[in-house]
Amino acid sequence: MNSVGMGQRPQNRRQQVVKFLWVGIWLAYLSAPVRDLLHGGHSDGVVVLGWIGLAAFVFWYFTLVVRAGRGERNGVVLGSVAVLAAQSTVLSLTLGREWLVLYVYVAIASGAALPFRLARWMIPAVSALLTGCALVVPGGTAFLTGLLFPALLGGFSMTGVRELIRTTTELREARATVARLAANEERLRLARDLHDLLGHSLSLITLKSELAGRMLPGHPEKAAQQVADIEQVSRQALVDVRAAVAGYRKPRLLEELAGARVALTAAGITAELPAEPDLDGVPEDSETALAWALREAVTNVVRHSGARRCTVELLRRRTLDGLLLELAVEDDGSGGPRGGPGGGPGGGPGNGLTGLTERLTQAGGTLEAGRARNGFLLIARAPVAAVPADVGSGA
């Protein structure tokens, strides 16, 4: 498509031609001054000066209207309108009443190029100048009624068109901004998903590879079982990554609890996990956020803690903010490179826990992570929509 959208500048020569034609078609109303130059009985010198004056007026009018809305200072636009008004006055007083039509173009240019707070005064001022000039020019009063109304109507109509163009331009820019923000959010989502998915799976693959290496000399059957587990985990990781890229990956607490038991056992860590949790009334977003929190917490325990025991609790708690499902993961390790509450080196927040905070915030929940008395403690909370009968009981 080669059309020019409202509020858009021409992008190629054809669009420039279309815009100039659209503006130029209204110059047909200059037929009265043209007829006056051709058949008005003026001397040759006056005719030449008239053509020069008309050409200068049309050039200045085109320049002002075509560049309207490009951010020129109001003083520059006001000066340009004043030049048009001066040209109209000189030509009308010297050549006759047929040239009074130029004031209509001055009013339209004022509405098209000036903001409304200035145009609402400039358009009546131009109309008043038109009236005064018509009263001075011989026979001008006969043209006044036919020109005054188009000047006022055309000028104020162009203020509406200008505002519409400005609004359309702002809307187009806002849509572009929203598109950029959506793209950034999607990149962040994908980064969080890949970190959570691959961090957990690769940690488990590393552990099982080390186990298989230690078992190979004396226990080839057990080593083969570890290799089979590695294959299964890697295949599941591939499925999860594909699902994450497609945007459909939504982990479940039951699945993550089973995966946490496998990962902790493979690392030689005693796991204390809850029985099958009661998830009645738990929104999907809350369950997904808590499942990600469990996966990240267990991954950190396996990779960084050096712990011998890990306890996972899942409880419903009533708070001032309503009923919440609380996930607590505590280990007795030294914490390793997790450092501070966020899990990053030097005590700063790590990528995983930063992503969890974002996920839980989106679900209406909260995240706490830091040193506990015997190791490291992560607590994730997410809202529960409905209140089951056994409120406050452990899962």
Side-chain angles (χ1 to χ4, degrees):
M1 294 293 293
N2 291 308
S3 60
V4 184
M6 180 174 290
Q8 288 182 315
R9 298 181 185 178
Q11 302 297 320
N12 52 53
R13 185 174 298 276
R14 177 165 181 171
Q15 291 183 355
Q16 291 175 347
V17 171
V18 170
K19 184 167 185 177
F20 272 101
L21 289 176
W22 175 250
V23 175
I25 193 174
W26 302 105
L27 296 180
Y29 291 98
L30 292 177
S31 58
V34 171
R35 285 197 306 268
D36 182 62
L37 290 174
L38 295 176
H39 310 293
H42 300 293
S43 64
D44 293 342
V46 172
V47 170
V48 171
L49 292 176
W51 282 114
I52 294 174
L54 183 60
F57 180 89
V58 171
F59 172 80
W60 206 258
Y61 173 79
F62 259 98
T63 302
L64 185 59
V65 173
V66 170
R67 294 188 61 84
R70 295 198 181 183
E72 285 86 353
R73 295 187 300 273
N74 290 332
V76 175
V77 179
L78 281 171
S80 300
V81 173
V83 170
L84 283 177
Q87 289 177 328
S88 302
T89 302
V90 171
L91 291 171
S92 298
L93 293 176
T94 56
L95 295 177
R97 61 183 185 177
E98 288 79 4
W99 295 80
L100 292 173
V101 71
L102 299 182
Y103 285 106
V104 177
Y105 289 90
V106 179
I108 290 174
S110 300
L114 287 171
F116 181 73
R117 60 185 178 85
L118 296 177
R120 64 180 178 176
W121 301 112
M122 182 57 69
I123 295 171
V126 172
S127 300
L129 186 59
L130 165 62
T131 302
C133 192
L135 295 175
V136 174
V137 173
T141 53
F143 282 51
L144 182 58
T145 304
L147 295 177
L148 188 57
F149 181 73
L152 290 170
L153 179 61
F156 283 110
S157 296
M158 287 306 300
T159 61
V161 173
R162 175 187 167 87
E163 288 301 306
L164 180 60
I165 292 175
R166 183 185 61 82
T167 303
T168 303
T169 301
E170 292 178 353
L171 178 60
R172 184 177 289 110
E173 293 173 352
R175 289 172 60 185
T177 300
V178 169
R180 288 194 298 270
L181 292 176
N184 290 337
E185 179 61 27
E186 183 63 16
R187 283 193 290 268
L188 289 175
R189 181 198 68 80
L190 185 58
R192 290 195 303 265
D193 286 359
L194 291 179
H195 174 275
D196 295 344
L197 290 167
L198 294 181
H200 176 83
S201 301
L202 293 178
S203 297
L204 187 56
I205 290 173
T206 301
L207 286 172
K208 287 188 170 291
S209 298
E210 293 174 353
L211 285 175
R214 290 197 296 268
M215 292 175 178
L216 270 178
H219 304 282
E221 297 84 1
K222 294 182 178 180
Q225 181 59 46
Q226 296 298 327
V227 171
D229 291 344
I230 291 172
E231 179 184 2
Q232 181 180 359
V233 171
S234 62
R235 290 182 183 277
Q236 184 60 44
L238 180 60
V239 171
D240 290 345
V241 168
R242 287 173 175 171
V245 172
Y248 299 125
R249 172 60 179 168
K250 293 186 180 296
R252 300 299 183 187
L253 271 173
L254 287 175
E255 299 172 0
E256 294 304 321
L257 285 170
R261 186 181 300 278
V262 172
L264 292 170
T265 302
I269 300 173
T270 301
E272 297 181 3
L273 303 176
E276 182 174 334
D278 177 13
L279 300 178
D280 291 341
V282 179
E284 183 178 350
D285 290 345
S286 295
E287 181 185 355
T288 299
L290 291 176
W292 282 120
L294 177 60
R295 170 174 286 213
E296 177 66 19
V298 171
T299 299
N300 283 340
V301 171
V302 171
R303 294 175 59 185
H304 304 307
S305 69
R308 292 172 297 177
R309 181 180 298 275
C310 178
T311 302
V312 178
E313 293 183 340
L314 197 62
L315 304 172
R316 292 177 185 263
R317 297 191 184 278
R318 184 180 294 278
T319 68
L320 295 177
D321 296 327
L323 188 63
L324 300 176
L325 185 61
E326 179 182 281
L327 170 72
V329 181
E330 184 176 8
D331 65 70
D332 61 355
S334 61
R338 288 180 298 187
N351 291 334
L353 295 184
T354 300
L356 286 184
T357 302
E358 295 173 357
R359 292 180 190 277
L360 285 163
T361 300
Q362 292 175 358
T366 59
L367 179 71
E368 297 177 10
R371 291 288 183 182
R373 181 177 56 184
N374 297 321
F376 194 85
L377 175 64
L378 179 145
I379 300 177
R381 300 182 181 91
V384 176
V387 182
D390 56 343
V391 172
S393 62

